[in-house]
Amino acid sequence: TASNGVQFTGPVDFQGNATLGNAASDVVTITSQVTASNGVQFSGPTDFQGNVTLGNAVSDIVTLTSQLTASTGIRLNDDVRLALGTDSDADLRHNGTNLVFDNSTGHFIVDNKAVDKDIRLILGTDTADTKFAVRDNSGNNLFAVGGNGNHTIGNTAADVITITGQVTASNG
């Protein structure tokens, strides 16, 4: 027990449990590497500055039992998936070229709770080079809207309908 703190200048090896600080106002500062073979537990707010690595193998699991708040974002490298759901039913990842969202259980639902707002998909350009497309599993377009406003329905030359401009229909 020390009333003015304890400073360690070399390696420190704790056998068993070690408690650093005992009040909400206590501040514990670690300015070098921490290695723990059986885990480290933090209770209460914990502030990390700089690079933090949790786990060092693909099989390592880091469990958070409360909310994670990141004030400047969370960065995942290419092909690292953000798994969602207890059984990782869905994942979000960037493969270096495309943003991929995979869902293996249930429906994919986009539900806008704002009564007076739209669900918007914004295309990258206002040309035919960029489009929103609904495709089947073989990659065939079932429906597409180009950035230039043209609409295409169908996936082969025999059944493609292209709409340029306005179409008005009444009574069927």
Side-chain angles (χ1 to χ4, degrees):
T1 302
S3 61
N4 291 325
V6 176
Q7 181 176 6
F8 300 101
T9 57
V12 177
D13 184 10
F14 293 104
Q15 301 294 321
N17 294 332
T19 300
L20 304 175
N22 61 6
S25 61
D26 290 346
V27 175
V28 176
T29 302
I30 299 172
T31 58
S32 62
Q33 179 175 327
V34 174
T35 302
S37 59
N38 290 319
V40 175
Q41 181 177 10
F42 300 98
S43 59
T46 305
D47 182 17
F48 296 103
Q49 296 178 3
N51 294 332
V52 177
T53 301
L54 302 174
N56 62 3
V58 174
S59 61
D60 289 349
I61 296 174
V62 176
T63 302
L64 300 174
T65 57
S66 62
Q67 178 175 313
L68 171 66
T69 302
S71 61
T72 58
I74 298 172
R75 181 180 300 256
L76 301 175
N77 290 334
D78 287 344
D79 286 320
V80 174
R81 65 188 197 119
L82 176 63
L84 304 171
T86 303
D87 296 321
S88 298
D89 314 76
D91 69 65
L92 180 67
R93 68 187 179 288
H94 192 274
N95 64 14
T97 304
N98 299 309
L99 178 65
V100 180
F101 184 86
D102 287 324
N103 180 39
S104 61
T105 305
H107 299 284
F108 177 65
I109 298 170
V110 177
D111 186 4
N112 183 3
K113 301 288 186 187
V115 179
D116 61 343
K117 301 297 180 192
D118 300 327
I119 295 174
R120 297 179 181 182
L121 300 174
I122 299 172
L123 301 178
T125 67
D126 292 337
T127 69
D129 294 334
T130 305
K131 66 182 168 187
F132 169 77
V134 177
R135 296 181 174 176
D136 63 17
N137 284 332
S138 299
N140 298 313
N141 283 347
L142 302 176
F143 176 79
V145 178
N148 59 357
N150 290 350
H151 301 65
T152 304
I153 302 170
N155 61 18
T156 64
D159 64 357
V160 169
I161 300 170
T162 301
I163 302 168
T164 304
Q166 181 175 335
V167 174
T168 304
S170 60
N171 294 331

